[in-house]
Amino acid sequence: MTSVSASGAAPLDDVPLRRSPLARMAKRALRHPGFMAGTVVLAVLLLCSLAAPLITAYDPYAQDISRRLLPPVWQAKGTWEHWLGTDKLGRDYFARLLYGGRISLLIGVATVLVSGTIGTALGVAAGFFGGRVDLVIGYIINVRLALPVVLVALAAAALVGSSLNTVIIVLGLLLWDRFAVVARSATQQIAGADFVAAARSIGCSTRLIVLSEVLPNILNPLIVIATLEMAHAILLEAALSFLGLGVQPPLPSWGLMIAEGKQFMFFSPWVITVPGVALVALVLAINLLGDGLRDVTAPENRS
Amino acid sequence: MLMFLLRRLAVALSVVLTVSVIAFLLLHLSGDLALAIAGPEASPEQVAQVRAQFGLDRPMIVQYGAWLADAARFDFGRSFYFRDTVAALVVQRMPVTLTLGAISLGVALVIAIPLGVLAAVKRGSWIDRAALIFCALGQAIPTFWLGLSLIILFAVNLRWLPVSGSATWAHYVLPSVALGWYAVPAVMRLTRNGMLDVLASDYIRTARAKGLRWPQVLFKHALRNAVVPVVALAAVQFGFMLGGSIVVEAVFSMQGLGHLAWEAIARKDFPVVQAVVMLLATIYIGLTLLADLLNAWLDPRIRVA
């Protein structure tokens, strides 16, 4: 995207134009505080949850009934043995938190793969072909927007049987609307471009034009939407699990941890504070990364 | 304008119809309803009896037609679980959700609009930056967790407000903050960007050049124009809030529509679920239609396109 606009663009005063577009993008990324903060926090959370077995020796499923609801270390009776305490079944809270991060990240990535594919396909078709195709797809988007997401997701999960896979599929089938809207308008801008006309004039098939001319040029805004929708999916999974129709016990989903801690929160508020803070940190990091990406990859002639 | 109105109305109606097909199919294609209603221990005769009693032995299209015709008259049948008609249940639970949604929207607007104006006027200052950080945080905090945290802080520790229920106005304070919070970032961003655009426009410069005082320019000339898209967004956000209130109602045990839907889903009480999905979708479609018409009325350029 940057290469398209570079020639006619007003150069950013802080980044010399003689560098390559990619190098300029990297430079802008390094100077963007939100982007950097989001990247660092997300990287830490990702590493921690992937390397969970190396960080804690505890099994997130191992119960110890004699050590139920131990407080975290900063409270009067806390010990370093279980530094974030234990839950109602005596499972180590820190271990559950680490392994729970895997579930949130998996939900985020997998949901976006499903919703991104659906939304991009619909959006590109609407933007590229226009006319009736555009009308029909616009109509489908309107229908989707009219459906109350939480309610429909809950009902679908209850009917199919709630599980990790159900959550991913249901959310994937529901959260494609922003991909479609963004892909549509981005494709509309590209469809009239000279290089698309050129590709057509040398006899490229529609499929080839879409795959090799359109998609690469609308990728940047789609990646931004993918990050933001990932955060959206993670929040919704937590809400569904909290309402009992998302990820099922004994999996250590953060939303489920909050639901299980709810009955103890009046006397031990940390049981919901700990997973809640983790959730906020993860979602905030992804959102900052997404917003940062939008600024960093924006065409350079846009101030 | 009349043509525009009719066209939009026709689209809105057909979206409602499509949603009704989805609401109907969602619950009928997912398994044998008669089996689900009769329960796992029912004998084949009992299942057959249930099937005949609820009309589930008719062809799908006939069932849909009958359901839609009834639904159009606000008759959604009888609840499987609650010993009442669905319409009576919905009417009984509706006021709580509508009140909650309206107060939440009020809370969101009262926080978001002044903050957005302030951020735009003091662009680049620490206020602007703080407002944007506040927005990022707002979008990252899960509604249900915010609700629980508010309960711990204001109901348990400080004892200022009740923990749960929907009896008095005080019961609505924490839920509406929890529900309204999620709409703040979107409204604030839109207000801020709208104000930035308007403040840079020629007529604001003219107004200032005429010697009008700054507050008058700000509120009478700038805010009035910047707030137009916000009104449309507010209508849409109200629809989202009615849908999202299911989480807040669960956290605060409020006997609203969302709570009803949650109970109904857990008990496979399909007529209730269908009714609530239909109702919320129809309200949302109505609100977006209203927002569209409002925008078209305020801005003639939209009508022609």
Side-chain angles (χ1 to χ4, degrees):
Chain A
M1 263 188 106
T2 33
S3 55
V4 178
S5 55
S7 55
L12 282 185
D13 44 3
D14 55 338
V15 186
L17 257 181
R18 62 188 137 77
R19 291 170 187 269
S20 76
L22 209 62
R24 269 180 286 143
M25 216 187 270
K27 193 136 194 172
R28 266 183 291 162
L30 286 172
R31 288 181 188 175
H32 196 292
F35 178 82
M36 288 314 288
T39 310
V40 170
V41 174
L42 184 62
V44 169
L45 290 173
L46 188 69
L47 274 178
C48 283
S49 57
L50 287 183
L54 303 177
I55 296 171
T56 178
Y58 286 105
D59 176 351
Y61 301 105
Q63 304 179 6
D64 186 352
I65 304 296
S66 63
R67 292 163 172 275
R68 288 186 311 187
L69 284 172
L70 290 182
V73 67
W74 59 86
Q75 295 206 333
K77 286 182 181 165
T79 58
W80 276 106
E81 201 184 334
H82 296 283
W83 76 276
L84 279 182
T86 57
D87 71 0
K88 62 173 179 181
L89 297 173
R91 298 174 291 199
D92 183 66
Y93 229 44
F94 182 55
R96 286 187 75 71
L97 205 64
L98 288 179
Y99 285 92
R102 291 182 175 183
I103 292 181
S104 286
L105 289 165
L106 175 68
I107 296 260
V109 172
T111 302
V112 162
L113 284 180
V114 177
S115 61
T117 311
I118 300 172
T120 307
L122 287 175
V124 169
F128 193 76
F129 297 111
R132 270 198 200 147
V133 179
D134 190 21
L135 277 179
V136 170
I137 290 173
Y139 183 78
I140 298 175
I141 295 176
N142 272 335
V143 171
R144 155 54 205 96
L145 285 174
L147 294 173
V149 174
V150 181
L151 195 56
V152 171
L154 281 175
L159 287 164
V160 185
S162 39
S163 70
L164 187 62
N165 289 338
T166 310
V167 172
I168 291 171
I169 292 166
V170 168
L171 290 183
L173 289 176
L174 280 172
L175 298 183
W176 48 264
D177 50 293
R178 274 165 82 190
F179 284 102
V181 170
V182 170
R184 176 178 171 272
S185 62
T187 307
Q188 277 176 337
Q189 285 172 13
I190 297 288
D194 285 344
F195 58 85
V196 173
R200 197 172 280 139
S201 72
I202 58 169
C204 291
S205 68
T206 304
R207 202 179 73 165
L208 191 64
I209 295 176
V210 167
L211 287 181
S212 64
E213 308 292 338
V214 176
L215 272 183
N217 278 294
I218 65 168
L219 205 57
N220 281 345
L222 288 181
I223 290 172
V224 172
I225 297 298
T227 10
L228 300 177
E229 283 303 308
M230 212 159 121
H232 193 185
I234 290 171
L235 279 181
L236 274 174
E237 179 271 320
L240 293 181
S241 299
F242 174 75
L243 292 173
L245 287 160
V247 175
Q248 293 300 306
L251 283 179
S253 147
W254 292 347
L256 202 56
M257 286 169 77
I258 297 175
E260 288 168 348
K262 196 185 156 198
Q263 58 184 121
F264 307 105
M265 72 174 195
F266 295 119
F267 301 105
S268 333
W270 56 267
V271 291
I272 69 156
T273 311
V274 169
V277 168
L279 203 49
V280 172
L282 177 62
V283 173
L284 187 62
I286 298 176
N287 275 341
L288 285 176
L289 178 68
D291 283 341
L293 270 178
R294 190 196 317 255
D295 296 344
V296 170
T297 60
E300 292 187 352
N301 52 358
R302 205 191 295 159
S303 64
Chain B
M1 185 71 193
L2 188 68
M3 268 317 287
F4 176 83
L5 201 150
L6 286 177
R7 207 165 53 221
R8 280 300 153 96
L9 208 61
V11 171
L13 264 177
S14 57
V15 173
V16 171
L17 273 179
T18 315
V19 169
S20 78
V21 174
I22 293 173
F24 181 82
L25 287 184
L26 184 68
L27 299 177
H28 281 261
L29 289 186
S30 53
D32 191 346
L33 274 187
L35 213 61
I37 301 163
E41 293 103 35
S43 64
E45 293 81 51
Q46 281 171 314
V47 174
Q49 194 195 339
V50 166
R51 203 184 305 277
Q53 187 192 340
F54 287 94
L56 297 169
D57 46 359
R58 296 172 294 171
M60 199 66 101
I61 186 89
V62 176
Q63 287 187 46
Y64 170 71
W67 176 74
L68 188 67
D70 286 343
R73 294 195 304 268
F74 206 68
D75 175 6
F76 291 96
R78 292 187 70 84
S79 156
F80 294 167
Y81 175 78
F82 304 94
R83 299 276 161 243
D84 210 345
T85 63
V86 177
L89 282 168
V90 166
V91 168
Q92 186 196 334
R93 304 292 192 97
M94 195 76 179
V96 171
T97 303
L98 284 182
T99 314
L100 178 62
I103 302 177
S104 304
L105 185 65
V107 169
L109 294 180
V110 163
I111 297 174
I113 293 181
L115 207 59
V117 172
L118 208 61
V121 172
K122 305 257 178 199
R123 183 184 192 176
S125 71
W126 67 267
I127 297 178
D128 189 18
R129 243 170 280 153
L132 289 177
I133 291 173
F134 180 72
C135 267
L137 213 61
Q139 275 176 330
I141 296 182
T143 310
F144 67 96
W145 184 69
L146 178 64
L148 293 175
S149 305
L150 288 173
I151 291 179
I152 292 178
L153 191 59
F154 291 101
V156 179
N157 289 350
L158 295 171
R159 295 180 179 280
W160 286 353
L161 293 159
V163 171
S164 62
S166 46
T168 66
W169 66 267
H171 287 94
Y172 282 93
V173 176
L174 295 183
S176 38
V177 171
L179 188 55
W181 179 269
Y182 199 70
V184 169
V187 177
M188 198 220 92
R189 286 210 179 118
L190 195 64
T191 311
R192 178 178 176 272
N193 293 345
M195 277 302 271
L196 284 178
D197 282 350
V198 171
L199 286 177
S201 64
D202 288 340
Y203 63 83
I204 294 296
R205 196 183 326 141
T206 310
R208 296 209 69 183
K210 278 200 309 197
L212 289 183
R213 272 172 307 150
W214 182 228
Q216 199 178 352
V217 173
L218 201 59
F219 294 107
K220 211 171 161 193
H221 295 251
L223 185 60
R224 252 184 160 181
N225 286 295
V227 98
V228 170
V230 175
V231 174
L233 178 70
V236 175
Q237 289 288 341
F238 185 64
F240 283 143
M241 279 179 182
L242 295 183
S245 79
I246 187 165
V247 177
V248 173
E249 286 174 22
V251 168
F252 290 92
S253 314
M254 303 180 87
Q255 295 301 314
L257 216 51
H259 205 277
L260 176 70
W262 187 37
E263 289 172 299
I265 288 170
R267 290 175 176 127
K268 303 212 186 249
D269 192 351
F270 304 109
V272 176
V273 181
Q274 282 177 328
V276 177
V277 169
M278 272 312 291
L279 203 63
L280 289 182
T282 310
I283 293 176
Y284 177 83
I285 293 163
L287 285 170
T288 46
L289 180 70
L290 210 66
D292 268 3
L293 295 181
L294 193 71
N295 270 343
W297 180 55
L298 290 167
D299 186 349
R301 280 170 300 182
I302 300 173
R303 271 177 252 162
V304 190

